[in-house]
Amino acid sequence: MEERKEMITADKLAYNYIKYDEEGREKEKIRAVDGVSFEVEKGDFVAILGHNGSGKSTLAKHINALLTPSEGTLWVNGMDTSDENNLWDVRQSAGMVFQNPDNQIIGTIVEEDVGFGPENMGVPTKEIWERVEESLKAVNMLKYRHHSPNKLSGGQKQRVAIAGVVAMHPKCIVLDEPTAMLDPNGRKEVIRAVRALNQVEDITVILITHYMEEVIYANKVLVMDDGKVVMQGTPREIFSQVETLKSYRLDVPQATLLAWELKKAGLDLPDGILTREELVEALCRLY
Amino acid sequence: MSIVLENVCYTYSPGTAYEIHALKNINLEIRDGQFIGLIGHTGSGKSTLVQHLNGLVKATSGRICFNGEDIYAQNYDMRRLRGKVGLVFQYPEHQLFEVDVLSDVCFGPKNQGLSQEEAKKRAREALRMVGISEEYEKQSPFELSGGQKRRVAIAGVLAMEPEVLILDEPTAGLDPRGRDEILDQISLLHKERGITVILVSHSMEDVAKYVERIIVMNQGEVMYDDVPREVFRHYKELERVGLAAPQVTYIMHTLKEKGFDVDEDATTIEEAKETILEAFRKKGSKT
Ligand SMILES: Nc1ncnc2c1ncn2[C@@H]1O[C@H](COP(=O)(O)OP(=O)(O)OP(=O)(O)O)[C@@H](O)[C@H]1O
Ligand SMILES: Nc1ncnc2c1ncn2[C@@H]1O[C@H](COP(=O)(O)OP(=O)(O)OP(=O)(O)O)[C@@H](O)[C@H]1O
Ligand SMILES: [Mg+2]
Ligand SMILES: [Mg+2]
């Protein structure tokens, strides 16, 4: 049997949050995801951008079957997430890191918390400890292994939450704004860890973020607007369209923004500059 | 008129194995009408420090005076202090609890003794300022997206019209346009009403763009306290404590090394653009 290439396939996926009145009648319907189709291949690093309320988290919750489509279909590793028989396998395949670490940390000691997932999966005890150690190391939290997670600051908790998912060795990790609460160094470390998981372990990564600098490492970007996917492409393709992105309430990396401003002011710079190094190089050629 | 901290220390779980000295001998003066940025690695004590300023957390030792009065004095009116010093929590979930968005934002002003009508007026104005439209007024705050929750939490504090506004990571989770809109709005309040603002942030770019003074925390101590240009000049030391300079500062330093005649301390896109264009002009007029 040939191994399939796609990790995630969405076909006209839609999701409605429905509210009912006292008599149980449908009162209101919010169409949070509005008929999206896309494909994520194994080994991809996909970034999802979009304004507040555009449907990113709702979409993400479909990938580990916390929500199932109101319309359309979502396949994860070939499994239809609407089929209840697939629930366990879908959740095994796709790990999730949420926006707020408070809601996902359960253990009373950091290492217990990280070991909880593998333990639940029936991983042998000795291997659990190896996984705990390697995951905590990956997010630079090993020295807090005996601390209580409740007593960590926001950024420290977030790294523990990521370690907890990494320890389950999923095929795919969905991270919903994992760096929102981290300091610049913590952001760098987490993104570095996520990239290593993607490149070394070949784990498929889906990263939702409002930090444009984090997107440049992705090989594919999806832009959402009001529940729809309105742009798809490589970071360079997406970030070349500064004005379109701004119209979707988004932004571009700082180096791209500075290049764009300089270009508007008359400097002959190329489109699609993404990094500081690229900007410096382009300026040196002109100087 | 000011907030003065003298030798403030705070210890979590004193006398236990998990004792943490979160604040060590803090001495600061927050003068009226300043716009201050508070930065520091995760766990450096920022949230602990700001919770002292409205009396939510009581110093283990040391003294805090608000407008010359010791807030730990016996008859000091803490409730009034909380009306004057408004704090937006790092995690909006810790602040949202009412049945719908409008009641939630009305809670503060009503608590201050305003009539239902007056409170509603304040609440609607605050919601407008943070970009939450009327259609959300009756929605439960728990059924909002991450960024929408944060906006509502900010509105709840703005509606109290505090003299000192403290925002703990207010832009974490906001889309880029939302981030700019809210910080512009706060900057306007600062200019028009002369309120004091303390912005806790992990975004060096936001801090560079908006504040006039930066306080840097490291391991529970104040490491630097100066204007942004001076603080970011220490970017190598900042990196050693988990922080960084704004992206453009790095670009400017590299350009300088490559022989560009630029101001290497530029910290914002606007400043960087000006100094780069100026360098090209100077060069053009020489050759
Ligand atoms: N539990 C819920 N019940 C009802 N409506 C909801 C619920 N959660 C989200 N919504 C609504 O669905 C829409 C999409 O929300 P979602 O959380 O998916 O957005 P998002 O793109 O993740 O936003 P953010 O960037 O702010 O995290 C929004 O209009 C939101 O108000
Ligand atoms: N409730 C608590 N109980 C015990 N220790 C705590 C508690 N809250 C914070 N701490 C500890 O106190 C120190 C300072 O934490 P604080 O939350 O003030 O940091 P911070 O600078 O706000 O961090 P972040 O950027 O992650 O929000 C950290 O070492 C943290 O682990
Ligand atoms: Mg979200
Ligand atoms: Mg904090």
Side-chain angles (χ1 to χ4, degrees):
Chain A
M1 204 175 81
E2 199 187 328
E3 227 206 317
R4 72 182 71 251
K5 247 177 47 201
E6 36 337 313
M7 185 67 219
I8 296 164
T9 308
D11 183 35
K12 302 192 197 67
L13 186 160
Y15 187 82
N16 303 319
Y17 288 104
I18 296 173
K19 283 196 212 145
Y20 301 93
D21 61 14
E22 292 80 39
E23 277 93 57
R25 281 181 308 231
E26 186 177 318
K27 193 175 69 175
E28 209 194 330
K29 194 157 95 176
I30 296 174
R31 199 167 174 82
V33 177
D34 190 7
V36 309
S37 301
F38 63 88
E39 208 160 86
V40 175
E41 289 185 9
K42 285 188 172 155
D44 267 354
F45 182 160
V46 178
I48 303 182
L49 304 178
H51 64 79
N52 290 137
S54 60
K56 303 180 299 296
S57 296
T58 305
L59 177 62
K61 285 177 189 154
H62 280 78
I63 297 173
N64 76 339
L66 279 176
L67 295 177
T68 50
S70 307
E71 293 158 35
T73 320
L74 184 76
W75 288 274
V76 172
N77 207 15
M79 297 173 282
D80 182 343
T81 61
S82 296
D83 184 344
E84 281 192 25
N85 298 323
N86 290 335
L87 203 62
W88 175 256
D89 289 327
V90 167
R91 298 222 168 125
Q92 197 94 297
S93 305
M96 187 97 181
V97 177
F98 293 104
Q99 228 167 17
N100 183 349
D102 279 344
N103 307 337
Q104 44 191 337
I105 289 181
I106 26 187
T108 52
I109 303 290
V110 165
E111 60 180 8
E112 257 172 37
D113 185 85
V114 177
F116 199 75
E119 192 184 339
N120 248 4
M121 290 162 53
V123 173
T125 312
K126 185 171 165 286
E127 196 189 329
I128 293 178
W129 292 117
E130 284 165 15
R131 288 190 185 195
V132 166
E133 196 163 323
E134 106 209 338
S135 324
L136 282 171
K137 211 182 267 169
V139 296
N140 203 12
M141 283 295 287
L142 194 57
K143 70 170 184 234
Y144 289 89
R145 63 188 300 171
H146 302 301
H147 281 238
S148 157
N150 299 323
K151 299 189 173 181
L152 299 176
S153 69
Q156 292 166 329
K157 277 186 214 163
Q158 192 68 305
R159 283 188 267 165
V160 172
I162 294 172
V165 172
V166 170
M168 292 196 275
H169 291 183
K171 292 194 173 62
C172 166
I173 298 188
V174 183
L175 304 112
D176 193 348
E177 301 188 38
T179 61
M181 291 294 168
L182 303 192
D183 57 37
N185 203 31
R187 272 195 318 258
K188 251 189 250 160
E189 282 171 7
V190 165
I191 292 300
R192 202 181 292 141
V194 168
R195 289 177 71 196
L197 294 175
N198 177 243
Q199 288 170 355
V200 182
E201 318 282 340
D202 210 27
I203 296 177
T204 308
V205 170
I206 302 199
L207 173 70
I208 297 172
T209 185
H210 290 299
Y211 279 108
M212 303 300 133
E213 331 302 311
E214 296 174 359
V215 174
I216 59 185
Y217 306 110
N219 64 320
K220 191 171 179 183
V221 184
L222 300 183
V223 176
M224 290 192 71
D225 183 60
D226 283 340
K228 296 198 169 67
V229 171
V230 288
M231 292 171 92
Q232 288 197 50
T234 62
R236 210 174 290 283
E237 285 161 5
I238 299 290
F239 287 137
S240 300
Q241 303 173 57
V242 181
E243 248 140 20
T244 314
L245 283 170
K246 289 196 177 222
S247 76
Y248 291 132
R249 305 185 56 92
L250 300 175
D251 210 344
V252 295
Q254 292 274 298
T256 313
L257 188 59
L258 181 53
W260 184 70
E261 290 284 348
L262 290 169
K263 193 173 167 172
K264 273 201 305 186
L267 290 191
D268 184 22
L269 289 165
D271 277 331
I273 286 177
L274 289 183
T275 63
R276 305 196 305 231
E277 292 74 23
E278 287 170 9
L279 175 59
V280 168
E281 212 175 284
L283 284 171
C284 285
R285 276 198 296 271
L286 290 181
Y287 196 63
Chain B
M1 301 274 268
S2 62
I3 306 177
V4 177
L5 290 83
E6 284 171 18
N7 306 319
V8 169
C9 295
Y10 187 78
T11 310
Y12 285 105
S13 328
T16 72
Y18 296 108
E19 182 173 275
I20 288 175
H21 298 283
L23 296 179
K24 301 169 196 161
N25 209 31
I26 304 288
N27 288 285
L28 284 172
E29 184 184 355
I30 313 285
R31 282 181 295 282
D32 235 17
Q34 280 194 327
F35 197 146
I36 298 174
L38 182 58
I39 64 176
H41 62 84
T42 64
S44 60
K46 305 180 297 298
S47 296
T48 307
L49 176 63
V50 295
Q51 289 176 62
H52 278 77
L53 303 180
N54 72 344
L56 215 57
V57 169
K58 187 171 186 290
T60 311
S61 64
R63 209 160 87 109
I64 298 179
C65 291
F66 182 69
N67 295 340
E69 286 179 81
D70 185 340
I71 69 167
Y72 300 139
Q74 221 166 35
N75 297 320
Y76 193 80
D77 187 352
M78 275 292 179
R79 219 175 96 137
R80 243 185 83 230
L81 177 70
R82 282 188 201 146
K84 290 190 169 185
V85 182
L87 169 63
V88 182
F89 287 94
Q90 183 165 8
Y91 293 96
E93 289 81 355
H94 296 176
Q95 194 158 345
L96 303 171
F97 46 87
E98 285 280 356
V99 288
D100 63 50
V101 165
L102 189 63
S103 324
D104 208 286
V105 180
C106 281
F107 181 84
K110 262 171 51 193
N111 225 15
Q112 286 175 307
L114 294 187
S115 71
Q116 176 75 8
E117 272 321 293
E118 192 62 24
K120 269 195 182 160
K121 208 177 128 228
R122 288 260 199 103
R124 293 214 159 98
E125 195 187 340
L127 284 167
R128 189 188 44 78
M129 284 198 254
V130 299
I132 292 285
S133 57
E134 269 170 45
E135 61 189 288
Y136 289 100
E137 280 184 6
K138 288 282 148 230
Q139 189 147 331
S140 156
F142 303 99
E143 293 177 348
L144 296 172
S145 81
Q148 291 163 340
K149 277 186 193 143
R150 187 166 292 283
R151 287 161 200 255
V152 173
I154 295 173
V157 173
L158 288 179
M160 293 171 27
E161 301 192 346
E163 287 170 23
V164 179
L165 176 62
I166 307 172
L167 303 130
D168 198 349
E169 300 282 355
T171 60
L174 290 190
D175 58 48
R177 171 102 64 92
R179 174 199 68 206
D180 292 347
E181 283 169 357
I182 286 192
L183 291 177
D184 284 347
Q185 190 62 249
I186 284 161
S187 181
L188 196 71
L189 279 178
H190 165 73
K191 286 196 193 98
E192 285 183 346
R193 301 196 189 153
I195 60 169
T196 309
V197 181
I198 301 177
L199 173 69
V200 179
S201 180
H202 282 311
S203 166
M204 303 302 123
E205 287 74 24
D206 290 350
V207 168
K209 187 165 164 197
Y210 290 96
V211 314
E212 61 194 276
R213 169 185 174 192
I214 297 179
I215 298 169
V216 183
M217 298 284 295
N218 176 36
Q219 316 253 22
E221 289 175 293
V222 174
M223 180 181 183
Y224 296 115
D225 181 357
D226 212 330
V227 296
R229 283 175 80 85
E230 291 300 324
V231 169
F232 288 128
R233 201 167 274 166
H234 300 284
Y235 70 100
K236 291 217 167 87
E237 287 85 354
L238 291 175
E239 283 170 11
R240 253 175 257 135
V241 298
L243 301 173
Q247 300 275 336
V248 300
T249 305
Y250 291 98
I251 295 172
M252 302 321 295
H253 278 276
T254 321
L255 287 176
K256 186 94 184 180
E257 279 163 28
K258 304 249 177 203
F260 280 71
D261 185 11
V262 289
D263 169 13
E264 59 186 333
D265 294 329
T267 54
T268 65
I269 295 275
E270 201 49 40
E271 285 168 8
K273 177 181 140 188
E274 287 314 316
T275 179
I276 291 172
L277 290 175
E278 182 61 26
F280 274 100
R281 272 196 294 271
K282 273 187 279 188
K283 173 127 183 174
S285 64
K286 251 184 265 163
T287 51

